[in-house]
Amino acid sequence: MNLNLDPSARARWLYWGLAGLLCLVWLATLASRPLFNPDEARYAEIPREMQSGGDWVIPHLNGLDYIEKPPLQYWATAATYQILGVSEFSARLYTALTALATVALIGFLAARLWGAGAGWRAAAVLAGMFMFVVLGQLMTLDMSLTFWMAGSLAGFLLAQQAQSGERRWMLFAWVAAALGVMTKGLVAAAIPAAVLLIYSLWTRDYSPWRKLHIRWGLPLFLAITVPWHLLAAQRLNDFLQFFFIHEHFARYLTPIAERQEPWWFFGWVFLAGTVPWSVPALRVLVSGWRSPRGQFSPTLFLWIWVVFICLFFSISDSKLMPYILPAMPALAVLIAALPLPTLKRDLLMTSVLTAAAALALAAASFALPKLIPADSAGRPYFLLLAKPVREVAVLLLVSGLFVWAQKARDATRSAAVLGVGWCLAVLLLVRTASLVAPIYSGIDLAAALPASERTAPLYSVRTYDQSLPFYLQRTVMLVGYRGELEYGLRKAPDKEITDVDGFLTTWNSQAKAYAVMDKRTFDGFKERDVPMRIVGQTVGRVMVARQ
């Protein structure tokens, strides 16, 4: 066996080894904490009800029709439940796998465009990006949407560059766009189409349109996206109005979703989300539009993709931090493609900022008792974070000092060290979220309900803990609460008690029942001498028994 490997071969073995390590830690972290409210619990419960109830067309939440989003991720998670059983790990597995697949896809794309070194750098940048790591561990729809949109982007760019297999790559792009639509709606097709239109108008280069293979791609796209929409419209007579008008256009154009933020909101999200790569990310934003004319420019196309996504959601009346996640894979490719002398300077600055962040985190861990208000209900839980925060600080300090000591001479190795350091550090932070679970999860409330009483009447009064149905594997009766369940309740009014007085009449007539409520409601019931006893409580909610 020849152990005298050349430096490039040793580097490849090192990078593959680090990639394998990150995959193992990434997956091992999934089961380390309970599901958090509201998003994780919601998107875990819908496929649980799909898998147990057998309705694979109309998603349900708490037994009610819930058609805010298409069902692709629900299908994938429900199938995972059937194979692995219902658990936090199986609930998060699809999201985690799409995150890892996005890293691999982006690395492959950059390698095909600019060589193997660029591929490893792009993968390292994306794998170490703060927003990407966090959302790759949380069960939301944004990561799987990002994967499919990255697939449509990669397929399109590779089709433009291909000497052979052009149609194959373009059909891959069409399929990915269709699956993105089946994940979170029209945005997955609208954004790529808009970026292509802007690119063509900007450069006056319409040659990419001739490589779209619309004759094959569009029928394939429609074959994937249309059947479910038709089936849902047949089942629900107001599906088209609610799903397209209310959930797409009204959410984007009006404040109906109550998610208003200032126009500059995504500016600071971009800066925080791209940590630790904020310096090269800003450089890419400033200089990425410069591109030679006369031939297709993947750099300019990627730059328009990033900028358009940020601007598109900035002018919307509905803003949430994960909305710009689909911009991050393209941004990672652009960073990896920076000229090496420029990238080395940026990586050196990044190493210094990483070390500074480590020292700041270490200082904050010791100052936690002073930083957390004494009257905060979550104070005892947040104080437990001090030790793991110091461990995170050590990881970051080591990776930052290593790159700084090496003067970032090898851009690919420096990116790999920083990316791995930040990825492991953020995964450690995510893992420690279990320490604050009583603040954000209802798992303790679910455990407080005796196993022998799991079929007893259970009411959710003026609140709805998304995680309770998942952990109890049953639905609850809503009392004086509608929220996002309003659509389903309009179709099934028998699954709610509209006011507290009606609830108390029912409560007083039952010999055995349980109810979950916030502490303010509980205090109000105590003042009214409502018969009840506490069986469990978290920071924000109380479970009581009737008997």
Side-chain angles (χ1 to χ4, degrees), residues 485-496:
L485 298 173
E486 182 174 358
Y487 175 84
L489 287 171
R490 289 203 307 267
K491 294 184 172 296
D494 59 313
K495 293 189 176 181
E496 70 168 338

Side-chain angles (χ1 to χ4, degrees), residues 4-199:
N4 296 319
L5 298 175
D6 65 81
S8 61
R10 286 200 300 270
R12 285 196 301 272
W13 280 106
L14 172 64
Y15 299 150
W16 280 115
L18 291 174
L21 171 66
L22 289 188
C23 287
L24 289 175
V25 178
W26 195 285
L27 296 177
T29 307
L30 298 179
S32 64
R33 63 204 185 279
L35 297 172
F36 276 21
N37 287 314
D39 289 345
E40 279 204 302
R42 177 197 306 115
Y43 294 127
E45 173 62 10
I46 292 172
R48 188 199 68 79
E49 295 187 26
M50 181 177 283
Q51 184 257 344
S52 63
D55 190 344
W56 292 71
V57 176
I58 303 299
H60 289 78
L61 179 60
N62 198 46
L64 301 165
D65 294 345
Y66 189 85
I67 55 170
E68 292 192 2
K69 299 294 184 290
L72 178 60
Q73 180 161 320
Y74 308 148
W75 290 340
T77 306
T80 305
Y81 288 163
Q82 289 190 324
I83 298 170
L84 301 178
V86 178
S87 66
E88 291 101 342
F89 177 84
S90 57
R92 294 184 177 116
L93 182 60
Y94 177 72
T95 297
L97 291 178
T98 57
L100 294 174
T102 304
V103 173
L105 178 65
I106 288 306
F108 176 77
L109 172 63
R112 289 291 293 264
L113 293 176
W114 295 297
W120 286 114
R121 292 193 296 272
V125 167
L126 189 60
M129 198 174 288
F130 182 79
M131 173 185 278
F132 188 86
V133 180
V134 171
L135 292 176
Q137 286 288 311
L138 297 181
M139 190 184 182
T140 68
L141 304 182
D142 300 284
M143 183 54 72
S144 56
L145 171 68
T146 296
F147 169 66
W148 295 119
M149 290 184 65
S152 66
L153 173 65
F156 173 82
L157 292 178
L158 291 172
Q160 307 309 306
Q161 304 291 105
Q163 300 298 319
S164 61
E166 173 190 305
R167 186 169 72 176
R168 182 177 68 247
W169 284 117
M170 199 60 239
L171 292 181
F172 174 80
W174 281 101
V175 169
L179 294 174
V181 169
M182 290 299 295
T183 297
K184 208 174 180 183
L186 296 177
V187 67
I191 287 177
V195 171
L196 176 58
L197 180 62
I198 293 170
Y199 174 86

Side-chain angles (χ1 to χ4, degrees), residues 23 28 32 47 159 180 196 202-204 228 233 257 264 270 285 327 340 371 448 485 545:
C23 287
S32 64
L196 176 58
W202 185 316
T203 62
R204 299 181 182 178
W228 174 77
W264 44 262
F270 182 89
L285 282 187
L340 287 181
L371 295 175
L485 298 173

Side-chain angles (χ1 to χ4, degrees), residues 283-298:
R283 183 183 301 281
V284 161
L285 282 187
V286 172
S287 62
W289 60 272
R290 300 187 182 96
S291 182
R293 300 294 181 94
Q295 59 182 0
F296 179 78
S297 170

Side-chain angles (χ1 to χ4, degrees), residues 187-240:
V187 67
I191 287 177
V195 171
L196 176 58
L197 180 62
I198 293 170
Y199 174 86
S200 298
L201 293 175
W202 185 316
T203 62
R204 299 181 182 178
D205 176 11
Y206 300 97
S207 60
W209 294 81
R210 294 193 292 272
K211 298 183 178 182
L212 291 180
H213 294 277
I214 294 178
R215 185 178 66 171
W216 297 97
L218 184 58
L220 187 58
F221 177 89
L222 294 175
I224 293 171
T225 58
V226 169
W228 174 77
H229 291 85
L230 285 179
L231 288 173
Q234 290 173 356
R235 290 273 301 274
L236 302 172
N237 56 14
D238 59 349
F239 168 79
L240 296 178

